[in-house]
């Protein structure tokens, strides 16, 4: 068992609190700019994902990586979540997992 | 049997343990299999398992939130998958931590199931929680790939729900009553255990609180309440269920002094009830029976009218 490097559930707002830490989030791909992917976060902001493989626009992608800026993640693992995903529910989960029920996750 | 293979299994690492128990050839002499029949599967995070209380006898006795956690459901990424002749093992990373998972392969169907599982894949693991020489791991009886990723959100919300349900002070009666109302949340029969007696040990307040929880929900579920777009104001709940001040005032009392006294008493009781009702409302919001509407003072039942 190893709980030393958790990946925190974040949306764009919560991401800012975890600079330098391992985070996980889901974005909907807006566009790819070379090696950088621009995605919309679950709370409607734009996030820059570095080091990810290329996913076509409008797909939902889960990104696990290090928060290296207020709106930027350096990706370690990207998973294609397909064409439909409930962003609102995930956003709610981010809030719960960082609020009242943080002790279940971190 | 179970205990023997477990104890003597240091060389062959758990060989013969795990889910041979579930096969019909096993007898029920080991207490564990008996309890398994009545056990629910708890959705948990790895973090919760790492903090689970482990009573140190050689049976696998874990408790999370005061509830026995022998069967668990986890969801996460597969890492370091290793296949052997008799079993497949991998490490499951659910974002809160990593735990080793072991799946015995006896039949071709087991082998087929495990062949589909690849590193980097999201899977749901159902299995039993084991502790061996201080190390915790899961012996899986089912490993399924996640195909709809909303299940990821759902799983972690379930973890929160299970935690919430198991940590709330309540009596057995409510556990049944509340679940029957929230019949859209299927699959959880909150384990009826004696944790409640320790929880509500503060002078039997548990029972009355439970009644207040039910009374509050009943008011929200009256047709008249359901019909109102913005639901009910907290004050209305207090007025409906608290001491009806206006009724007392309207009664004729012998002296104005007495009336003032009763009125002041009512105000005290009223504010006391207000706190209790607030707590009850918060509880029903948390488990999804009611939700806030236009502001934090208005709530409505989640059930359709």
């Amino acid at each position: 068992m190893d709980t030393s490097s958790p990946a925190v559930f974040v949306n764009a707002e919560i991401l800012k609190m975890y600079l330098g830490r391992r985070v996980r989030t889901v974005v909907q791909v807006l566009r790819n700019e070379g090696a950088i992917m621009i995605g919309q976060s679950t709370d409607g902001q734009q996030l820059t994902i570095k080091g990810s493989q290329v996913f076509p626009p409008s797909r939902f992608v889960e990104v696990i990586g290090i928060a290296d800026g207020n709106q930027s993640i350096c990706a370690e693992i990207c998973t294609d979540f397909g064409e439909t995903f409930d962003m609102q529910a995930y956003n709610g989960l981010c809030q719960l997992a960082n609020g009242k029920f943080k002790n279940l996750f971190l | 049997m179970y205990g023997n293979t477990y104890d003597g299994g240091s060389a062959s690492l758990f060989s013969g343990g795990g889910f041979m128990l579930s096969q019909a050839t096993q007898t029920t002499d080991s207490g564990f299999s008996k309890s398994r029949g009545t056990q629910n599967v708890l959705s948990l995070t790895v973090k919760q398992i790492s903090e689970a209380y482990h009573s140190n006898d050689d049976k696998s006795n874990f408790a999370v939130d005061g509830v026995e956690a022998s069967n668990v459901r986890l969801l996460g990424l597969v890492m370091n998958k290793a296949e052997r002749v008799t079993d497949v093992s991998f490490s499951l990373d659910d974002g809160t931590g990593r735990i080793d998972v072991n799946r015995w392969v006896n039949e071709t169907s087991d082998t087929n199931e495990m062949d589909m599982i690849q590193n980097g894949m999201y899977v749901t693991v159902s299995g039993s929680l084991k502790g061996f020489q201080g190390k915790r791991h899961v012996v899986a009886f089912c490993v399924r790939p996640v195909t709809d990723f909303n299940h990821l959100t759902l799983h972690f919300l379930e973890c929160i729900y299970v935690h919430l349900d198991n940590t709330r002070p309540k009596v057995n009666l409510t556990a049944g009553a509340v679940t029957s109302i929230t019949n859209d949340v299927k699959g959880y029969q909150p384990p009826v255990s004696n944790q409640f007696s320790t929880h509500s040990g503060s002078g039997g307040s548990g029972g009355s609180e439970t009644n207040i929880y039910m009374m509050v929900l009943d008011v929200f579920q009256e047709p008249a309440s359901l019909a109102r777009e913005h639901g009910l104001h907290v004050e209305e709940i207090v007025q409906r269920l608290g001491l009806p001040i206006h009724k007392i005032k309207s009664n004729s009392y012998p002296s104005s002094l007495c009336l003032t006294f009763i009125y002041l008493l009512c105000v005290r009781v009223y504010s006391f009830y207000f706190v209790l009702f607030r707590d009850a409302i918060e509880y029903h919001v948390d488990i999804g029976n009611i939700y806030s509407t236009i502001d934090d003072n208005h709530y409505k039942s989640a059930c359709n009218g």
Side-chain angles (χ1 to χ4, degrees):
Chain A
M1 292 214 57
D2 175 16
T3 53
S4 58
S5 62
V8 193
F9 279 104
V10 296
N11 56 23
E13 202 53 46
I14 299 167
L15 176 71
K16 296 170 186 157
M17 303 180 336
Y18 291 98
L19 288 185
R21 299 269 302 273
R22 201 159 170 257
V23 294
R24 70 194 307 188
T25 194
V26 176
V27 294
Q28 186 169 26
V29 181
L30 294 170
R31 61 185 183 276
N32 293 288
E33 293 176 356
I36 290 172
M37 179 170 82
I38 311 290
Q40 186 164 42
S41 69
T42 55
D43 53 346
Q45 299 182 40
Q46 285 201 7
L47 290 181
T48 308
I49 314 297
K50 295 169 195 162
S52 128
Q53 58 266 54
V54 176
F55 295 94
S58 93
R59 282 193 91 83
F60 294 94
V61 176
E62 188 206 42
V63 180
I64 300 176
I66 306 293
D68 66 345
N70 274 345
Q71 290 189 310
S72 162
I73 298 171
C74 186
E76 285 169 9
I77 307 168
C78 292
T79 312
D80 188 348
F81 271 17
E83 285 168 345
T84 52
F85 185 75
D86 189 336
M87 295 288 264
Q88 213 184 337
Y90 192 91
N91 196 50
L93 172 63
C94 292
Q95 285 162 352
L96 290 173
N98 285 283
K100 218 169 165 181
F101 304 103
K102 199 171 172 177
N103 58 328
L104 270 60
F105 297 88
L106 284 178
Chain B
M1 274 292 350
Y2 177 74
N4 298 338
T5 51
Y6 215 50
D7 290 338
S10 54
S12 52
L13 214 64
F14 319 126
S15 56
F19 274 82
M20 294 179 74
L21 271 176
S22 63
Q23 257 105 65
T25 51
Q26 299 290 328
T27 52
T28 55
D29 59 343
S30 78
F32 174 78
S33 49
K34 221 187 286 172
S35 71
R36 199 188 153 203
T38 56
Q39 268 300 307
N40 297 304
V41 180
L42 293 182
S43 292
L44 295 176
T45 64
V46 174
K47 166 82 189 321
Q48 285 175 289
I49 291 173
S50 75
E51 290 174 345
Y53 175 74
H54 186 205
S55 65
N56 227 356
D57 50 17
D58 55 4
K59 296 255 170 58
S60 330
N61 280 331
F62 287 93
V64 175
D65 299 327
V67 175
E68 190 184 338
S70 44
N71 295 331
V72 297
R73 187 184 296 120
L74 306 172
L75 187 149
L77 286 166
V78 176
M79 309 269 182
N80 310 324
K81 185 189 170 196
E83 290 179 61
R84 285 179 288 269
V85 180
T86 51
D87 69 302
V88 175
S89 68
F90 58 89
S91 165
L92 186 88
D93 187 337
D94 79 342
T96 72
R98 284 186 187 193
I99 190 166
D100 291 333
V101 179
N102 210 255
R103 170 77 158 95
W104 296 102
V105 286
N106 300 316
E107 326 247 333
T108 336
S109 59
D110 299 341
T111 319
N112 292 343
E113 182 187 303
M114 290 314 294
D115 278 349
M116 284 160 56
I117 308 301
Q118 304 294 332
N119 284 334
M121 205 182 234
Y122 267 108
V123 292
T124 305
V125 172
S126 303
S128 64
L129 193 54
K130 308 281 184 197
F132 185 68
Q133 295 180 341
K135 208 167 164 276
R136 289 159 193 211
H137 69 281
V138 173
V139 175
F141 44 87
C142 178
V143 181
R144 297 234 167 90
V146 173
T147 49
D148 180 343
F149 291 94
N150 286 309
H151 277 285
L152 181 131
T153 315
L154 176 68
H155 170 77
F156 288 102
L157 291 174
E158 275 181 343
C159 294
I160 293 173
Y161 178 83
V162 168
H163 165 73
L164 204 54
D165 204 59
N166 287 335
T167 49
R168 282 283 172 180
K170 61 198 159 183
V171 290
N172 302 346
L173 186 93
T174 1
V178 170
T179 31
S180 73
I181 291 160
T182 59
N183 53 5
D184 48 341
V185 191
K186 288 201 182 77
Y188 293 108
Q189 288 98 34
V192 178
S193 78
N194 53 10
Q195 57 149 336
F196 304 126
S197 56
T198 53
H199 248 300
S200 54
S202 53
S205 65
S208 64
E209 270 179 34
T210 302
N211 286 337
I212 287 165
Y213 288 177
M214 293 307 296
M215 283 156 63
V216 167
L217 189 61
D218 285 346
V219 175
F220 278 111
Q221 291 186 330
E222 285 171 4
S225 311
L226 291 171
R228 285 167 60 174
E229 195 189 341
H230 300 319
L232 296 173
H233 193 280
V234 183
E235 288 275 354
E236 290 176 274
I237 296 291
V238 182
Q239 275 163 15
R240 280 290 309 277
L241 297 172
L243 277 185
I245 289 177
H246 57 281
K247 275 190 197 160
I248 293 175
K249 276 197 285 190
S250 68
N251 285 345
S252 52
Y253 284 95
S255 75
S256 61
L257 187 72
C258 185
L259 182 63
T260 314
F261 175 74
I262 287 171
Y263 180 72
L264 286 174
L265 191 68
C266 286
V267 171
R268 289 284 295 276
V269 173
Y270 188 83
S271 55
F272 170 71
Y273 268 78
F274 196 80
V275 173
L276 279 184
F277 290 145
R278 269 283 185 196
D279 190 46
I281 286 169
E282 200 184 309
Y283 167 74
H284 287 303
V285 169
D286 279 344
I287 68 165
N289 286 341
I290 60 173
Y291 59 95
S292 64
T293 57
I294 46 170
D295 57 30
D296 282 347
N297 287 320
H298 288 80
Y299 295 89
K300 197 173 175 193
S301 169
C303 297
N304 289 326

